[in-house]
Amino acid sequence: MTEPIRLLLADDQALVRGALAALLSLEPDLTVVAEVSRGDEVVPEALRIGPDVALLDVEMPGLDGVAATAALRAALPSCRVLVVTTFGRPGYLRRAMEAGANGFVVKDTPARQLADAVRRVHAGLRVVDPALAAETLATGPSPLTGRETEVLRTARGGGTVAELAATLHLSEGTVRNYLSAAIGKTGARNRADAVRVAEANGWLLG
C-alpha cells in the first residue's frame, strides 16, 4: 500500500480549518499532518513536518496566502500548494499562480472534488476552478500601479486625505492624484466605489 499524501492546512479560522481536516482525513489516501493559523507559520511548520501538499487560505495574519505560497515554494520546492479560499477573486487567482501555486479552488468545493484536487496537485497537475479561470482571463491583470494600490488599500479604513497622506508619508496633493487615477482606472464613481471594485477583483491583497 502506498503512503498517504501528507497535508499541511493553513487557515486563520479554526472552525474552517477543523472542518477541512475532518473531511480530508476521511479519505484513506490523505492524512493531515499539520495545521497552522497564520501565514508566517507555514514555512517553519512545513520545514519541520515535510508535507507533500499545503492547502493555504488567502487572507491570513502574519503573511497572506500568496506571499506564503511564494515563500514555501522557495523553501521547500517538493511541497505542492493548493490555495483553498472563500474569496474567489480573479486577482487572487492570478497572483497565487504567479507565486507558484499548483491549484486554486474555493471553499464551497464539494469534499470529493477537493480531495481529488489534492491528488491531482500532488501528481503534478494544475487544478483551477474553471469559472474563476474564465473570469480571470476576462478581467485581465490589475490596472493599478503599486502606489495606487497602496493608497486604495490604506483608504479601505476610511479617513480624510490628510490622514491618508500622513499614514503614507506623502503630500495631500499626491494622495489626491493617486486616488483620482485609481477611480478612473476602476471606472468607479468615487473613492469608496474604487475600493469596492478593486477589492472585488482581488487587486488589494497585501
Side-chain angles (χ1 to χ4, degrees):
M1 183 177 176
T2 58
E3 290 291 318
I5 300 170
R6 294 159 51 82
L7 309 178
L8 179 152
L9 305 184
D11 195 302
D12 62 331
Q13 297 182 41
L15 285 175
V16 173
R17 194 172 66 248
L20 281 175
L23 286 171
L24 293 169
S25 294
L26 293 174
E27 301 292 327
D29 59 337
L30 306 179
T31 181
V32 177
V33 295
E35 298 179 36
V36 298
S37 60
R38 296 173 55 90
D40 52 6
E41 295 173 346
V42 169
V43 169
E45 189 68 2
L47 291 174
R48 187 177 75 85
I49 297 293
D52 299 310
V53 179
L55 284 76
L56 309 184
D57 188 19
V58 171
E59 297 192 350
M60 293 186 288
L63 204 65
D64 65 65
V66 171
T69 293
L72 180 56
R73 295 294 289 155
L76 193 66
S78 62
C79 182
R80 306 277 178 177
V81 176
L82 177 62
V83 175
V84 185
T85 180
T86 303
F87 305 100
R89 295 170 178 162
Y92 285 4
L93 169 58
R94 185 181 299 277
R95 290 185 59 188
M97 301 309 277
E98 288 172 351
N102 305 96
F104 192 106
V105 297
V106 292
K107 286 180 182 174
D108 60 2
T109 300
R112 184 170 297 177
Q113 289 183 26
L114 178 59
D116 187 53
V118 170
R119 295 184 188 102
R120 290 167 65 193
V121 162
H122 180 251
L125 302 175
R126 284 193 180 274
V127 180
V128 177
D129 180 274
L132 185 57
E135 188 180 351
T136 300
L137 288 173
T139 304
S142 172
L144 303 171
T145 66
R147 272 299 199 182
E148 289 160 2
T149 301
E150 184 182 15
V151 170
L152 272 192
R153 192 183 294 137
T154 305
R156 280 189 296 193
T160 64
V161 168
E163 289 168 340
L164 295 179
T167 299
L168 294 166
H169 305 291
L170 298 171
S171 71
E172 292 182 29
T174 299
V175 168
R176 286 194 186 91
N177 288 339
Y178 283 134
L179 286 173
S180 178
I183 290 167
K185 288 180 179 180
T186 56
R189 299 183 303 275
N190 50 43
R191 182 176 85 178
D193 193 36
V195 169
R196 181 191 61 76
V197 170
E199 187 88 73
N201 282 292
W203 295 336
L204 299 186
L205 184 63

